[in-house]
Coordinates of all heavy atoms in Angstrom, one line a residue:
R13 N 0.9 -1.2 0.1 CA 0.0 0.0 -0.1 C 0.9 1.2 0.0 O 0.6 2.2 -0.7 CB -0.9 0.0 1.2 CG -1.7 1.3 1.4 CD -2.7 1.2 2.5 NE -3.8 0.3 2.2 CZ -4.9 0.5 1.5 NH1 -5.0 1.6 0.8 NH2 -5.8 -0.4 1.3
E14 N 1.9 1.3 0.9 CA 2.7 2.5 1.0 C 3.4 2.8 -0.3 O 3.6 3.9 -0.9 CB 3.7 2.3 2.0 CG 3.2 2.3 3.3 CD 4.2 2.0 4.6 OE1 5.3 1.5 4.2 OE2 3.8 2.3 5.7
L15 N 4.0 1.6 -1.0 CA 4.7 1.8 -2.3 C 3.7 2.5 -3.3 O 4.1 3.5 -4.0 CB 5.2 0.4 -2.9 CG 5.8 0.4 -4.3 CD1 7.1 1.3 -4.3 CD2 6.1 -0.9 -4.7
L16 N 2.5 1.7 -3.4 CA 1.6 2.3 -4.5 C 1.2 3.6 -4.2 O 0.9 4.5 -5.2 CB 0.5 1.3 -4.7 CG 0.9 -0.1 -5.2 CD1 -0.2 -1.2 -5.2 CD2 1.6 0.0 -6.6
E17 N 0.8 4.0 -2.9 CA 0.3 5.2 -2.6 C 1.3 6.3 -2.8 O 1.1 7.4 -3.3 CB -0.1 5.3 -1.0 CG -1.5 4.6 -1.0 CD -1.9 4.7 0.5 OE1 -1.0 4.9 1.5 OE2 -3.0 4.3 0.9
N18 N 2.7 6.1 -2.5 CA 3.7 7.0 -2.8 C 3.8 7.3 -4.4 O 4.0 8.5 -4.8 CB 5.0 6.5 -2.3 CG 5.1 6.6 -0.8 OD1 4.4 7.3 -0.1 ND2 6.0 5.8 -0.2
A19 N 3.7 6.2 -5.2 CA 3.7 6.3 -6.5 C 2.5 7.3 -7.0 O 2.6 8.1 -7.9 CB 3.7 5.0 -7.3
D20 N 1.4 6.9 -6.4 CA 0.2 7.8 -6.9 C 0.4 9.2 -6.5 O -0.1 10.0 -7.2 CB -1.1 7.2 -6.1 CG -1.4 5.8 -6.7 OD1 -1.0 5.4 -7.7 OD2 -2.3 5.2 -5.9
L21 N 1.1 9.5 -5.4 CA 1.2 10.9 -4.9 C 2.0 11.6 -6.0 O 1.8 12.7 -6.4 CB 1.9 11.0 -3.6 CG 1.1 10.7 -2.4 CD1 1.8 10.7 -1.2 CD2 -0.1 11.9 -2.2
V22 N 3.1 11.0 -6.5 CA 4.0 11.5 -7.5 C 3.2 11.6 -8.9 O 3.3 12.6 -9.5 CB 5.2 10.7 -7.7 CG1 6.1 11.2 -8.9 CG2 6.0 10.8 -6.5
K23 N 2.5 10.5 -9.3 CA 1.9 10.4 -10.7 C 0.7 11.5 -10.6 O 0.3 12.1 -11.7 CB 1.4 9.1 -10.9 CG 2.5 8.2 -11.0 CD 2.2 6.8 -11.5 CE 1.0 6.2 -10.9 NZ 0.7 4.8 -11.2
F24 N -0.1 11.6 -9.5 CA -1.4 12.3 -9.7 C -1.5 13.6 -8.8 O -2.2 14.4 -9.1 CB -2.6 11.4 -9.2 CG -2.6 10.2 -10.1 CD1 -2.5 8.9 -9.5 CD2 -2.8 10.2 -11.4 CE1 -2.5 7.7 -10.2 CE2 -2.8 9.0 -12.3 CZ -2.7 7.8 -11.6
A25 N -0.7 13.8 -7.8 CA -0.9 14.8 -7.0 C 0.5 15.7 -7.1 O 0.7 16.7 -6.3 CB -0.9 14.4 -5.5
K26 N 1.3 15.4 -8.0 CA 2.6 16.2 -8.4 C 3.4 16.4 -7.2 O 4.2 17.3 -7.1 CB 2.1 17.5 -8.9 CG 1.4 17.4 -10.3 CD 0.9 18.7 -10.9 CE 0.4 18.3 -12.1 NZ -0.4 18.8 -13.0
F27 N 3.5 15.4 -6.3 CA 4.4 15.3 -5.1 C 5.9 15.1 -5.8 O 6.0 14.4 -6.6 CB 4.2 14.2 -4.2 CG 5.2 14.0 -3.1 CD1 5.3 14.9 -2.2 CD2 5.9 12.9 -3.1 CE1 6.3 14.7 -1.2 CE2 6.8 12.6 -2.0 CZ 7.1 13.7 -1.1
K28 N 6.9 15.9 -5.2 CA 8.2 15.8 -5.7 C 9.0 15.1 -4.7 O 9.7 15.9 -3.8 CB 8.7 17.3 -6.2 CG 8.0 17.9 -7.2 CD 8.3 17.4 -8.5 CE 7.5 18.1 -9.5 NZ 7.5 17.5 -10.8
P29 N 9.3 13.8 -4.7 CA 10.1 13.3 -3.6 C 11.7 13.6 -3.9 O 12.0 13.8 -5.0 CB 9.8 11.7 -3.9 CG 9.6 11.6 -5.3 CD 8.9 12.9 -5.7
G30 N 12.4 13.4 -2.9 CA 13.8 13.6 -3.0 C 14.5 12.2 -3.2 O 13.8 11.2 -3.3
E31 N 15.8 12.2 -3.2 CA 16.6 11.0 -3.4 C 16.3 9.9 -2.3 O 16.3 8.8 -2.5 CB 18.0 11.2 -3.6 CG 18.3 12.0 -4.9 CD 19.7 12.1 -5.1 OE1 20.7 11.7 -4.3 OE2 20.2 12.8 -6.0
K32 N 16.2 10.4 -1.1 CA 15.9 9.6 0.1 C 14.5 8.8 -0.1 O 14.5 7.7 0.1 CB 15.8 10.4 1.4 CG 15.6 9.6 2.6 CD 15.6 10.4 3.8 CE 15.4 9.7 5.1 NZ 15.3 10.5 6.3
E33 N 13.6 9.5 -0.6 CA 12.2 8.9 -0.8 C 12.3 7.9 -2.1 O 11.8 6.8 -2.0 CB 11.1 9.9 -1.0 CG 10.7 10.7 0.1 CD 11.6 11.9 0.3 OE1 12.5 12.2 -0.5 OE2 11.3 12.7 1.3
R34 N 13.1 8.3 -3.1 CA 13.3 7.4 -4.2 C 13.9 6.1 -3.8 O 13.4 5.1 -4.2 CB 14.1 8.2 -5.2 CG 14.5 7.3 -6.4 CD 15.8 7.7 -7.2 NE 16.9 7.6 -6.3 CZ 18.0 8.2 -6.5 NH1 18.2 9.0 -7.6 NH2 19.0 8.1 -5.7
D35 N 15.0 6.3 -3.0 CA 15.6 5.1 -2.5 C 14.8 4.2 -1.8 O 14.9 2.9 -1.8 CB 17.0 5.4 -1.9 CG 18.0 6.2 -2.7 OD1 17.9 6.1 -4.0 OD2 19.0 6.7 -2.1
A36 N 14.0 4.8 -0.9 CA 13.1 4.0 0.0 C 12.1 3.3 -1.0 O 11.8 2.1 -0.7 CB 12.4 4.9 1.0
S37 N 11.5 3.9 -1.9 CA 10.6 3.3 -2.9 C 11.2 2.2 -3.6 O 10.7 1.0 -3.8 CB 10.0 4.3 -3.9 OG 9.2 5.2 -3.2
V38 N 12.5 2.4 -4.1 CA 13.0 1.2 -4.9 C 13.5 0.1 -3.9 O 13.2 -1.0 -4.2 CB 14.4 1.8 -5.6 CG1 15.3 0.7 -6.1 CG2 14.1 2.9 -6.7
G39 N 13.9 0.5 -2.7 CA 14.1 -0.7 -1.7 C 12.9 -1.4 -1.4 O 12.9 -2.6 -1.3
A40 N 11.6 -0.7 -1.3 CA 10.5 -1.4 -1.0 C 10.0 -2.3 -2.1 O 9.7 -3.4 -1.9 CB 9.4 -0.3 -0.7
L41 N 10.2 -1.8 -3.3 CA 9.9 -2.7 -4.5 C 10.7 -3.9 -4.4 O 10.2 -5.0 -4.7 CB 10.1 -2.0 -5.7 CG 9.9 -2.7 -7.0 CD1 8.4 -3.2 -7.1 CD2 10.2 -1.8 -8.2
K42 N 12.1 -3.7 -4.2 CA 12.9 -5.0 -4.2 C 12.5 -5.8 -3.1 O 12.4 -7.2 -3.3 CB 14.3 -4.5 -4.0 CG 14.9 -3.8 -5.1 CD 16.4 -3.5 -4.8 CE 17.0 -2.8 -6.1 NZ 18.4 -2.2 -5.9
D43 N 12.2 -5.4 -1.9 CA 11.8 -6.2 -0.8 C 10.5 -7.0 -1.1 O 10.4 -8.2 -0.8 CB 11.6 -5.3 0.5 CG 13.0 -4.8 1.1 OD1 13.9 -5.2 0.7 OD2 12.7 -3.9 1.9
L44 N 9.6 -6.4 -1.7 CA 8.3 -6.9 -2.1 C 8.6 -8.1 -3.1 O 7.9 -9.2 -2.9 CB 7.3 -6.0 -2.6 CG 6.8 -5.1 -1.5 CD1 6.1 -3.8 -2.1 CD2 5.8 -5.8 -0.5
L45 N 9.4 -7.9 -4.1 CA 9.6 -8.8 -5.0 C 10.3 -10.1 -4.5 O 10.0 -11.2 -4.8 CB 10.3 -8.3 -6.2 CG 9.6 -7.2 -7.0 CD1 10.5 -6.6 -8.3 CD2 8.3 -7.6 -7.6
V46 N 11.3 -9.9 -3.7 CA 12.0 -10.9 -3.0 C 11.1 -11.7 -2.1 O 11.1 -13.0 -2.2 CB 13.2 -10.3 -2.2 CG1 13.8 -11.4 -1.2 CG2 14.3 -9.9 -3.1

């Protein structure tokens, strides 16, 4: 839910994450796939 909601915020609410948020999202995706 957190991964998809963060992606939704960027895609639809024009949220501008920083590198820290980007790295956390990439890490979450990897963790979920594993």
Side-chain angles (χ1 to χ4, degrees):
R13 176 178 291 284
E14 289 172 350
L15 173 68
L16 294 174
E17 284 178 346
N18 287 339
D20 289 346
L21 283 173
V22 174
K23 294 184 321 185
F24 304 117
K26 299 183 180 169
F27 174 67
K28 299 286 187 197
E31 289 183 11
K32 182 178 176 183
E33 291 88 0
R34 175 205 61 195
D35 293 347
S37 292
V38 170
L41 175 62
K42 288 178 182 178
D43 290 347
L44 287 166
L45 296 178
V46 166

